[in-house]
Amino acid sequence: MKQYQAHRFAVAPMMDWTDRHCRFFHRLLSRRARLYTEMVTTAAVLHGQRERLLGFDGAEHQVAVQLGGSDPAHLAQSARICADFGYDEINLNVGCPSERVQNGAFGACLMREPALVGDCVAAMKAQVSIPVTVKCRIGVDDQEPAEALGALAEVVIAAGADALIVHARKAWLTGLSPKDNRHVPPLDYALVHALKQRFPHVPIAINGGLATLDQMRAELDFVDGVMVGRAAYQDPALLLAVDPLFFGEEAPFSDAEQAILAFVPYVEARLAEGVPLNAMTRHVLGLFNGRPGARAWRRHLSTEAVKPGADARVLRAALVHIDPRRRPLNEAA
């Protein structure tokens, strides 16, 4: 199988999690992982505060924006706006099962309307020169997964989709909460592997349930890439292994402590703009999971970062719980 690099390892778009602060920190841990925004609806792009919704730091590249919508014209216009912001990829959400998405008749609902998804992809492709990709499920509700996934893939590939990212579970729009939809429906990796065999020349990445680096790396025997969500967010130190393991390149830092110190200038710059400290430190709480001092690290940040006037000194002080050698010289041992 020809090696495909762009989506070889990606951090999934996650609502309320993969904001610009999270993505900047993740980029410190991996130069090569592809990063994704939270889903942004076309209504928000067209009528909302664009800089707040779409602005990002140039250090985040390669970074993709995920759009939610089902109107081809609105998606085309939104894609043009996002491309002008400098994103490296436009991704269409055909997998989110939340009630908000269902009410808007997009997200996972679109698994039932492959022709419409194809029209959406074609409309976006006509407006932008950057890649347009689709993230989908293997089906919804009572759909037969092989038929549903195959039908959607065939149409969007014909429409010019540059890659397909498949969350290898059904979404149940009735009977399961969005949280339950992330882990209750059974995984079917074999179906995604078969899809790659059917479309050997189309980049296909797999998502869902991948918890360990060994699992993730093993999937590259069958597909072009992996997309990882909760595992990367809840244990971000995992990302330090991505560049060596998936791209044969040196990690940006030798340990997580160095990454935190590299994060401090960004934190200080955002604090000067009025961003509260806890809006940034919430994304690093899991960094030292499994290490001595991890609980104290989390507790320190959770209690101190929310206080009025909290600044980057809170981060430096929290590191003392991981490495006591970092205790300030003027502080008693």
Side-chain angles (χ1 to χ4, degrees), residues 309-323:
D311 60 25
R313 288 174 292 183
V314 170
L315 263 178
R316 292 191 179 97
L319 277 178
V320 173
H321 297 292
I322 304 299
D323 184 356

Side-chain angles (χ1 to χ4, degrees), residues 86-102:
Y87 282 97
D88 299 294
E89 173 192 330
I90 309 292
N91 179 260
L92 178 62
N93 185 320
V94 189
C96 181
S98 74
E99 186 174 327
R100 172 190 173 204
V101 164
Q102 292 184 52

Side-chain angles (χ1 to χ4, degrees), residues 172-294:
W172 287 92
L173 304 179
T174 55
L176 286 181
S177 69
K179 180 179 179 181
D180 288 340
N181 261 300
R182 290 195 290 268
H183 62 86
V184 171
L187 288 158
D188 191 346
Y189 294 155
L191 184 58
V192 185
H193 301 166
L195 186 73
K196 176 60 191 175
Q197 293 178 334
R198 179 177 172 185
F199 297 102
H201 303 298
V202 178
I204 292 175
I206 196 165
N207 170 236
L210 298 170
T212 70
L213 287 163
D214 286 344
Q215 281 181 304
M216 299 166 198
R217 185 64 182 81
E219 282 300 309
L220 297 184
D221 291 337
F222 306 100
V223 291
D224 300 290
V226 296
M227 176 177 274
V228 181
R230 285 166 291 162
Y233 186 86
Q234 295 168 352
D235 184 16
L238 172 151
L239 295 174
L240 282 171
V242 166
D243 292 1
L245 185 61
F246 290 83
F247 299 96
E249 299 177 6
E250 187 176 355
F253 298 99
S254 61
D255 57 44
E257 291 97 322
Q258 291 183 9
I260 284 294
L261 293 174
F263 192 40
V264 168
Y266 174 88
V267 169
E268 291 175 334
R270 301 292 81 75
L271 287 169
E273 296 170 353
V275 176
L277 181 64
N278 68 303
M280 296 173 278
T281 56
R282 70 188 184 98
H283 300 303
V284 306
L285 292 176
L287 184 62
F288 299 105
N289 284 348
R291 287 182 54 176

